[in-house]
Amino acid sequence: MRTLAILLLLTLALAAASCKRSEVSGDTNQNSATAPPASGAASSVPPFATKEPERYQATRVVTSSGDASGRESRTLIARDGDRRREDYDAGAGERVAYLQLPEGSYALLPAKKLYAELKTETGGDRSAHAARVPPDFSPEKLLNEARPETLYERLGEENLNGRATVKYRVTVRSQKNGPVASESLVWVDETLGMPVKTETTSAGSKVTMELRDIKETIDAGLLEVPADYKRVAPAELFAEAR
């Protein structure tokens, strides 16, 4: 499970790594002024400059095989500028939503119409569950400190679920000239400006992440705490989610 978690983190960090590169270039949807690399061309830096859209909604589906055969998770993602929401499966049919707003971060339990404010300051009112939730859960915050040896290869254009994408192969080595630690296939939607699918294989395990039901509009009410929800302490909310 630890291996799969690391693979997923690396998968999501691809978007963040390319995002950082795009901020330097000053263009979120285009590479540099030079022509894009030809298929088969390899590079040690991300050949795609992407940034998570300012406004969009999608369902992130993560499936894994190998050590955790047949596992699947679905996460609703909605973002509008600095307002963000992600809904996770808490088990037993329950869903927990994490809402990040300019005025603070909140956890919501839609099935029971409960919500709690997640305080990040030392000594704040936080349960053990809430303490594990980062104050900013955007994929753009998932960059790793370590800089493994990475090689990017452009494989060509491909239609994925009706969206035009460019497919890449990404190989990661844990150290220079060392054996390949993982290999990923990445589909980048250059119109949307971010990876929409990745398949990562390492040590006999495979993790696939795909964005589905992508929309550039947000369903009404997703990015606010509903008025009819009752406020409770984080410990009470997460106890109810068990």
Side-chain angles (χ1 to χ4, degrees):
M1 287 301 296
R2 183 175 182 274
T3 299
L4 292 176
I6 293 172
L7 290 178
L8 176 57
L9 187 61
L10 288 173
T11 294
L12 297 178
L14 287 171
S18 55
C19 164
K20 186 174 182 180
R21 181 172 178 268
S22 71
E23 290 170 348
V24 174
S25 69
D27 191 330
T28 61
N29 289 318
Q30 305 220 357
N31 294 324
S32 61
T34 60
S39 296
S43 171
S44 60
V45 296
F48 44 86
T50 66
K51 182 175 176 66
E52 185 183 32
E54 285 289 318
R55 182 181 176 86
Y56 81 110
Q57 179 178 323
T59 299
R60 182 174 64 220
V61 181
V62 179
T63 57
S64 59
S65 60
D67 293 342
S69 181
R71 290 177 179 263
E72 178 181 289
S73 66
R74 291 174 176 260
T75 305
L76 172 70
I77 304 170
R79 181 192 181 190
D80 189 1
D82 57 359
R83 305 169 71 86
R84 182 180 186 87
R85 175 172 174 152
E86 295 198 3
D87 288 30
Y88 296 89
D89 183 6
E94 294 277 9
R95 300 282 290 178
V96 175
Y98 293 102
L99 189 59
Q100 181 182 316
L101 304 176
E103 59 269 25
S105 295
Y106 305 89
L108 285 68
L109 196 59
K112 298 181 179 178
K113 293 188 175 182
L114 302 176
Y115 82 97
E117 182 177 5
L118 303 179
K119 299 180 180 180
T120 58
E121 67 273 13
T122 302
D125 182 12
R126 302 165 66 197
S127 70
H129 289 78
R132 293 197 292 269
V133 179
D136 186 340
F137 38 83
S138 164
E140 295 181 22
K141 302 298 183 183
L142 295 177
L143 279 172
N144 285 325
E145 292 287 333
R147 299 285 178 170
E149 294 293 313
T150 307
L151 187 66
Y152 302 84
E153 180 183 2
R154 189 180 193 273
L155 300 181
E157 299 178 357
E158 185 173 313
N159 186 289
L160 183 66
N161 297 327
R163 304 187 70 92
T165 69
V166 179
K167 185 177 180 180
Y168 296 87
R169 178 186 292 114
V170 184
T171 54
V172 178
R173 301 177 187 274
S174 57
Q175 57 186 1
K176 189 173 182 179
N177 298 325
V180 173
S182 69
E183 179 178 289
S184 298
L185 297 177
V186 183
W187 287 260
V188 178
D189 185 326
E190 295 188 326
T191 299
L192 188 64
M194 69 184 300
V196 292
K197 182 178 179 179
T198 64
E199 292 181 355
T200 301
T201 304
S202 177
S205 297
K206 180 178 179 180
V207 176
T208 300
M209 185 280 290
E210 183 176 359
L211 293 183
R212 300 179 185 173
D213 305 322
I214 300 171
K215 300 191 295 185
E216 295 183 62
T217 58
I218 309 297
D219 291 346
L222 274 182
L223 298 180
E224 60 185 33
V225 177
D228 60 344
Y229 277 34
K230 177 185 176 182
R231 180 169 177 167
V232 297
E236 181 179 346
L237 184 139
F238 287 108
E240 290 283 348
R242 289 173 183 165

